[in-house]
Amino acid sequence: MSPLQLNSLHQKCTTAETVFHAPQHPSAILNATKHLSATLTSLSAANLTATRKCNESTSEPILDNPFYMFAMAHLHMGRIMCLRSLFGDALLKHFEIGVQVFPYSARLFYALGNARKSVSKTIADLDQVEHAFKQAVRISKDLALKRDSFNEKLDKLKRDLEEKDENEDESDDDEDDDSWVLEASVDDEINAGRDAENALILLLIQLGRSNEAAPLLESGGYKYRLSDAVLAYSFTENSKGPWRLHDIPFVKAIDSALPDLALRYLQNAFARDSVFWKEHYYGPDTPYFSYSHALPTPTEKEAHPRSSMDQLIHYVHKLVLKLLPQVSEAKSAEWWVHSRVHSAGHQLHFDSAHEGKSGTTTSGDNKSKKRRLGPVHPIASCVIYLSEGCGGPTMVTNQRLGDPLADRGWMVESRVNRLVVFDGSVLHGVIPGKGVCGDVGSDEGRRTSFMIAFWDHVDIKPSSDNTPGSGRPFPYNVSKDIYTWPQQHQPNTNEKWPGTVPDNLHHVIPAPLEGVWEAIGEAGGATPEKESDAIQAILTEGDLELGYSKSRLGLPNYNLVFQGF
């Protein structure tokens, strides 16, 4: 590779890196794809591989190494495809070419492992995933050892110089200069190895090999982890025991939640090939976006609904009222939707607004009324599953913001047209699917879910340039030149649509968890016995000095608490 080609590749990779900080801009992604693709086409992976094998000293992951830069270009192409939710053989090919040309990158092996995991169809496929993660961990640890060794050498040199009465001209030139280990790209490689180790731990636990994961957890400095009952979940023996509906105050679930026409409406609107995903440039790293609607009172008839989405939300509101009567206080509804591969989870979190803010503001519903800022939660949040067979269950705990680690939890398996609703103030998330997707033909092997949060107040946040974001007003009148997806949600003129909420609901009892968290090390297998110990695993004001943002306060400290996703 000529110096000119190397410089061009460096520029294209730098441009691609910036894309990942603003993935909601389609033009930036398309431009980066076009430029990287053109540059890679002009180079030969086979020739580079042959050249590198004749010169094994080219193993440093640094920006002036042409083999590394070529491999990074393929890494970025793969990452851009992930942003565009383009999974499959084409994605794998980029990572495989990258490790062929430069088999010394933890970043590439970690990406390859994740890509293989997302398309695994048999347990045997997961052997290749495990191998890729282990390669990433090995490379990362080797680099960390080299960097530590070089830093020790520098410290010794500094001490030797300080011991001399005066500096002398002569110096010990180290012919084997390892200063490259201090470059930022090496930091990225080491960090990728740590992420790969966490992914490996999760994989081992979900494959029933927790004993192999235990030493990795201890060496990683973790004090607690999600229990096997959570990460290696099973619904084959869903013991109901003494549990009854009224014993579970935090979460309720029902089957056959929507009438058939309403279910098909959502499934069509958010199908795998829907324009909705394309126009939001939806992918694994897409920032959170949602849409908000004013909510009629439960007894109020929508005389002139503005969209079919308003009609559907009004129906779900009346349905949820039968499960959690407190949602009668809701004045607005916020909805969002996700479509994820089997192995993707959703980190444990609180549904909230105003994180990290303080002070007071006037209420949008009553300008004379003051309300305190700071994290606020919806009255209730609900999930409607639009697919099944892929992805893990929804887990809801009894942990509220600032509480010690949860001591109780419940899980609900995703089934088409199942609705789960829970207290909007509790910690919850989606457990990554274990093993492989049970039904690859189910919407091309994806877990698709539609969520609604019911609020007594939520700020609606218009955007001057119509970019997606949190709490956007529903785009009733947006130009077709900007978005076409709202056209799918014109009001349904059938007065009976979506239907009447039935009196008798098909209740599902959420599966109770014997333990949500378990301690690691000497107390392995035990839940945190002391409240003080459990509180130490929660981020507090004192952790702000360590660089944590206010929006993380009250959440588990994931440097001490392993969740695996």
Side-chain angles (χ1 to χ4, degrees):
M1 186 185 297
S2 69
L4 184 62
Q5 287 175 314
L6 177 61
N7 182 59
S8 174
L9 197 53
H10 186 194
Q11 289 178 348
K12 301 300 188 299
C13 287
T14 301
T15 300
E17 284 282 3
T18 64
V19 166
F20 304 117
H21 298 291
Q24 71 271 31
H25 294 295
S27 60
I29 297 176
L30 289 174
N31 287 335
T33 305
K34 177 182 176 181
H35 293 153
L36 266 179
S37 181
T39 303
L40 291 173
T41 301
S42 67
L43 300 169
S44 168
N47 289 344
L48 279 170
T49 302
T51 304
R52 192 261 308 154
K53 286 182 177 179
C54 294
N55 183 6
E56 292 295 340
S57 64
T58 57
S59 60
E60 293 88 353
I62 52 179
L63 301 185
D64 61 357
N65 182 341
F67 307 99
Y68 182 64
M69 288 307 299
F70 181 83
M72 286 299 99
H74 276 286
L75 173 68
H76 293 323
M77 279 294 292
R79 291 179 67 191
I80 288 172
M81 293 182 74
C82 287
L83 286 179
R84 300 171 65 185
S85 288
L86 299 175
F87 298 95
D89 292 340
L91 171 63
L92 281 172
K93 184 178 179 181
H94 280 293
F95 298 144
E96 287 169 347
I97 290 174
V99 298
Q100 171 193 337
V101 172
F102 190 82
Y104 313 107
S105 170
R107 296 177 72 185
L108 272 165
F109 276 108
Y110 175 48
L112 178 62
N114 280 326
R116 283 178 172 165
K117 191 176 183 184
S118 71
V119 297
S120 291
K121 297 179 181 178
T122 67
I123 295 298
D125 291 339
L126 295 178
D127 291 340
Q128 295 186 48
V129 175
E130 182 178 345
H131 173 74
F133 287 154
K134 286 182 174 178
Q135 285 289 90
V137 172
R138 180 188 60 77
I139 292 168
S140 169
K141 289 186 175 180
D142 286 347
L143 288 171
L145 285 172
K146 287 182 179 179
R147 190 175 62 178
D148 291 344
S149 176
F150 184 75
N151 283 328
E152 288 177 6
K153 219 185 302 185
L154 287 181
D155 290 340
K156 182 179 184 303
L157 179 61
K158 183 179 178 180
R159 288 194 302 270
D160 290 345
L161 289 173
E162 289 174 350
E163 290 174 1
K164 292 183 179 179
D165 294 332
E166 58 183 17
N167 293 330
E168 299 178 0
D169 290 337
E170 58 184 71
S171 61
D172 295 329
D173 292 329
D174 190 346
E175 295 180 0
D176 183 19
D177 183 10
D178 286 338
S179 61
W180 58 268
V181 298
L182 301 181
E183 293 203 16
S185 58
V186 176
D187 284 338
D188 293 337
E189 292 291 326
I190 293 173
N191 290 335
R194 291 170 181 155
D195 292 338
E197 187 166 57
N198 286 337
L200 176 62
I201 291 170
L202 174 64
L203 179 66
L204 292 173
I205 292 173
Q206 292 198 315
L207 288 174
R209 295 156 58 189
S210 294
N211 59 319
E212 295 177 48
L216 299 177
L217 286 162
E218 286 197 64
S219 64
Y222 293 107
K223 302 299 182 185
Y224 305 103
R225 73 168 178 94
L226 285 174
S227 65
D228 281 357
V230 174
L231 294 178
Y233 59 87
S234 174
F235 291 96
T236 56
E237 298 180 3
N238 182 4
S239 173
K240 294 181 180 180
W243 294 86
R244 298 179 299 276
L245 288 174
H246 64 269
D247 291 324
I248 309 174
F250 296 99
V251 56
K252 311 285 184 183
I254 58 171
D255 279 339
S256 304
L258 300 177
D260 288 343
L261 289 177
L263 174 64
R264 285 201 292 272
Y265 156 71
L266 285 179
Q267 288 177 322
N268 290 335
F270 305 116
R272 184 71 185 91
D273 59 353
S274 169
V275 69
F276 177 85
W277 307 114
K278 295 181 178 73
E279 293 185 347
H280 287 83
Y281 247 68
Y282 181 84
D285 296 320
T286 304
Y288 172 75
F289 62 89
S290 63
Y291 293 94
S292 296
H293 300 248
L295 197 62
T297 61
T299 57
E300 182 181 5
K301 175 73 174 178
E302 289 184 284
H304 302 288
R306 300 185 66 186
S307 73
S308 52
M309 185 61 75
D310 286 276
Q311 292 170 291
L312 180 97
I313 289 174
H314 187 44
Y315 178 91
V316 174
H317 184 215
K318 290 186 291 185
L319 180 64
V320 169
L321 263 172
K322 291 179 172 287
L323 300 170
L324 293 179
Q326 58 265 42
V327 299
S328 62
E329 302 296 322
K331 298 179 179 63
S332 59
E334 177 189 14
W335 66 267
W336 61 100
V337 63
H338 284 304
S339 181
R340 291 175 167 144
V341 295
H342 176 70
S343 56
H346 192 132
Q347 189 176 61
L348 297 178
H349 64 284
F350 297 97
D351 289 343
S352 59
H354 305 308
E355 297 94 336
K357 297 182 180 180
S358 59
T360 60
T361 184
T362 55
S363 168
D365 304 306
N366 183 351
K367 297 299 182 183
S368 63
K369 183 180 179 181
K370 295 276 188 178
R371 53 186 185 82
R372 292 185 62 81
L373 288 178
V376 293
H377 307 284
I379 299 171
S381 295
C382 70
V383 182
I384 299 173
Y385 304 109
L386 306 182
S387 65
E388 64 181 62
C390 273
T394 298
M395 182 179 77
V396 180
T397 75
N398 65 343
Q399 181 179 331
R400 289 191 167 91
L401 200 63
D403 283 353
L405 292 177
D407 59 1
R408 296 176 68 187
W410 301 266
M411 291 200 296
V412 180
E413 187 178 15
S414 60
R415 293 289 181 90
V416 170
N417 208 14
R418 174 172 289 179
L419 177 146
V420 54
V421 60
F422 49 89
D423 183 323
S425 67
V426 297
L427 190 73
H428 63 281
V430 179
I431 308 305
K434 70 173 185 175
V436 295
C437 185
D439 180 11
V440 177
S442 174
D443 200 13
E444 297 187 11
R446 299 182 77 85
R447 181 190 193 272
T448 306
S449 53
F450 177 77
M451 280 68 64
I452 307 175
F454 294 101
W455 297 81
D456 61 356
H457 172 87
V458 66
D459 292 333
I460 296 179
K461 308 162 188 172
S463 169
S464 58
D465 58 359
N466 291 295
T467 56
S470 172
R472 295 286 190 256
F474 187 86
Y476 297 104
N477 303 313
V478 70
S479 167
K480 292 182 181 179
D481 294 333
I482 299 174
Y483 290 129
T484 61
W485 70 265
Q487 302 302 314
Q488 298 178 333
H489 301 282
Q490 296 299 315
N492 193 311
T493 56
N494 183 347
E495 292 185 358
K496 295 183 179 180
W497 192 89
T500 303
V501 176
D503 292 328
N504 297 319
L505 303 178
H506 301 279
H507 290 279
V508 175
I509 298 181
L513 292 166
E514 294 297 325
V516 177
W517 304 98
E518 61 183 56
I520 294 168
E522 294 181 0
T527 56
E529 295 182 359
K530 298 179 182 178
E531 184 171 299
S532 59
D533 292 339
I535 287 178
Q536 286 179 6
I538 302 297
L539 292 173
T540 64
E541 290 280 351
D543 294 308
L544 295 178
E545 297 178 0
L546 302 178
Y548 292 99
S549 66
K550 285 189 176 182
S551 63
R552 296 283 310 278
L553 297 184
L555 285 168
N557 182 345
Y558 292 123
N559 287 330
L560 299 176
V561 180
F562 178 83
Q563 66 166 338
F565 55 98

